[in-house]
Amino acid sequence: MALPALSSSGVKFRRVLAHFPQELSLAFAYGSGVFRQAGASAGPGENNMLDFVFAVDDSVTWHMMNLLKNRSHYSFLKVFGPKQISNVQSYGAGIYYNTLVPCNGRMIKYGVISTDTLIDDLLHWKTLYVAGRLQKPVKILTQNENSKLQAALVSNLKSAVTAAFLMLPESFSEEDLYMQIAGLSYSGDFRMIIGEDRLKVQNIVKPNVPHFQKLYSNILQDCPQVVYKHHLGRLEIDKSPEGQFTQLMALPRTLQQKITSLVDPPGKNRDVEEILLQVAHDPDCGFVVHQGISGIVRSSSIAQSAKTILTAGAKKSITYSMKKLYKMTKGWLKKTS
């Protein structure tokens, strides 16, 4: 099954790509500059920053070519060369962002991640950073014929559905499902307390339900554990211990490990399958899954944010943070007005 390509010409986004080295295994645009969001950050408007992620097979070579074309995009780290930039990239969530870059009359932010690191995150949720972005609607700009990457993209969507099922009741709406999925990568993210609009998940989902349906409808129709009443926009899932155990066993490896560490007392060292069977019978199963996801996201978001001081430089980091705080304040004022 191919990852659905979301409709729109994408010409303005592909014009941005022309400014960069073309050795990309995947490039996509995301965020409020691409998809309309409700509330304070409604758009997509001409003032919203455009966000991109570029996956590359060889980070050192790509940064070397990009330094020749776009040296001004980089912070002081450019003086250390492409190898050290790639070393910095490997920390945190494994992605290197250049932010507040003027391009074609707009401000853009772009992250560079190695293809192997991306595949690892998609399959195993090691950081749930870029994988989390790809659980929400994005605009795919270019993608090569890497079958392993394609399979990992689909696997990530299936894992998002499975995790959401475990945190939802027996019967729920499609919108409930998409709210749960969209919130996965924000669980435990400290930026949702300081710097992000707290209505962000709701603002993402409500105007974009058709886009979420394009991503997930085939997966839902093919899933044996759900009754998908598409015409009613309702779903019913198996919440028996047996059903939850099947779902827990299908979760990405890192999340299973996080759940195991939460439940298993130190030194007991029980088998993962035994622990997940215990969780499946626990009335708080959904809460345990949520805590596991929060643990993954918290670690990667803190490390990645700390890295921004190096990759963006002090001035851009402060400017970017102030923009985030402004958006959060607007969202809070709208909620209380």
Side-chain angles (χ1 to χ4, degrees):
M1 185 185 81
L3 194 70
L6 299 176
S7 60
S8 104
S9 66
V11 171
K12 66 179 177 182
F13 305 120
R14 292 189 177 92
R15 283 177 178 161
V16 170
L17 282 193
H19 291 268
F20 297 95
Q22 295 304 295
E23 290 71 11
L24 304 172
S25 60
L26 176 71
F28 64 90
Y30 67 96
S32 61
V34 185
F35 296 97
R36 185 171 69 87
Q37 292 187 10
S41 51
E46 291 303 310
N47 294 325
N48 292 336
M49 184 159 61
L50 296 177
D51 298 317
F52 299 87
V53 168
F54 304 150
V56 302
D57 291 342
D58 185 336
S59 295
V60 175
T61 299
W62 195 91
H63 282 298
M64 179 181 67
M65 292 188 293
N66 198 43
L67 281 165
L68 293 173
K69 290 173 70 87
N70 300 303
R71 190 172 180 84
S72 64
H73 294 184
Y74 290 83
S75 70
F76 69 93
L77 290 176
K78 59 179 171 271
V79 303
F80 298 105
K83 188 171 182 180
Q84 287 306 315
I85 288 171
S86 296
N87 287 339
V88 172
Q89 177 180 307
S90 67
Y91 290 108
I95 186 167
Y96 186 104
Y97 272 105
N98 284 324
T99 190
L100 295 175
V101 174
C103 184
N104 292 352
R106 297 285 295 273
M107 280 294 182
I108 72 166
K109 177 180 77 176
Y110 64 94
V112 183
I113 186 170
S114 79
T115 307
D116 288 342
T117 299
L118 175 58
I119 289 172
D120 189 45
D121 197 29
L122 292 167
L123 291 176
H124 306 302
W125 288 10
K126 186 175 180 182
T127 68
L128 200 49
Y129 199 86
V130 179
R133 279 152 178 73
L134 285 161
Q135 291 163 359
K136 296 177 275 290
V138 302
K139 175 65 183 174
I140 302 291
L141 304 177
T142 185
Q143 183 178 349
N144 67 12
E145 297 299 317
N146 186 328
S147 59
K148 189 176 179 183
L149 174 58
Q150 180 59 52
L153 288 164
V154 176
S155 176
N156 180 48
L157 298 181
K158 290 180 177 178
S159 295
V161 169
T162 301
F165 282 173
L166 285 160
M167 294 184 286
L168 285 164
E170 187 174 359
S171 177
F172 50 90
S173 70
E174 264 191 278
E175 189 172 297
D176 291 335
L177 173 64
Y178 301 142
M179 290 280 285
Q180 196 69 248
I181 289 172
L184 292 175
S185 62
Y186 296 117
S187 302
D189 189 339
F190 79 99
R191 293 172 301 175
M192 294 301 290
I193 301 171
I194 301 174
E196 288 285 6
D197 183 350
R198 296 180 193 182
L199 297 175
K200 190 176 183 73
V201 173
Q202 179 179 306
N203 292 344
I204 289 170
V205 173
K206 285 190 176 295
N208 292 299
V209 168
H211 291 309
F212 277 93
Q213 289 173 327
K214 285 184 179 180
L215 277 178
Y216 291 103
S217 61
N218 287 341
I219 291 172
L220 295 175
Q221 287 166 2
D222 294 341
C223 179
Q225 292 185 305
V226 65
V227 177
Y228 180 29
K229 301 175 181 178
H230 186 269
H231 59 294
L232 297 175
R234 301 289 303 178
L235 301 97
E236 295 177 2
I237 54 173
D238 179 7
K239 296 298 287 185
S240 69
E242 294 77 16
Q244 292 195 140
F245 178 64
T246 299
Q247 292 161 6
L248 288 164
M249 289 298 292
L251 290 175
R253 182 179 63 205
T254 306
L255 180 52
Q256 289 182 339
Q257 292 169 346
K258 286 288 183 181
I259 292 170
T260 299
S261 65
L262 285 168
V263 175
D264 203 32
K268 200 165 184 182
N269 297 323
R270 289 185 296 162
D271 183 74
V272 171
E273 189 171 333
E274 180 186 349
I275 296 167
L276 295 181
L277 183 60
Q278 175 189 328
V279 175
H281 284 81
D282 191 331
D284 293 325
C285 174
F287 177 74
V288 175
V289 172
H290 181 269
Q291 289 297 101
I293 293 169
S294 295
I296 296 171
V297 174
R298 187 180 301 110
S299 298
S300 63
S301 66
I302 291 173
Q304 189 65 31
S305 294
K307 191 169 75 174
T308 299
I309 299 171
L310 293 176
T311 60
K315 184 178 178 181
K316 281 188 177 182
S317 294
I318 293 169
T319 303
Y320 184 66
S321 297
M322 292 303 294
K323 286 178 180 288
K324 288 287 187 181
L325 285 168
Y326 174 69
K327 286 174 69 176
M328 181 188 72
T329 304
K330 280 183 70 176
W332 182 81
L333 290 173
K334 186 176 180 68
K335 183 179 180 182
T336 56
S337 62

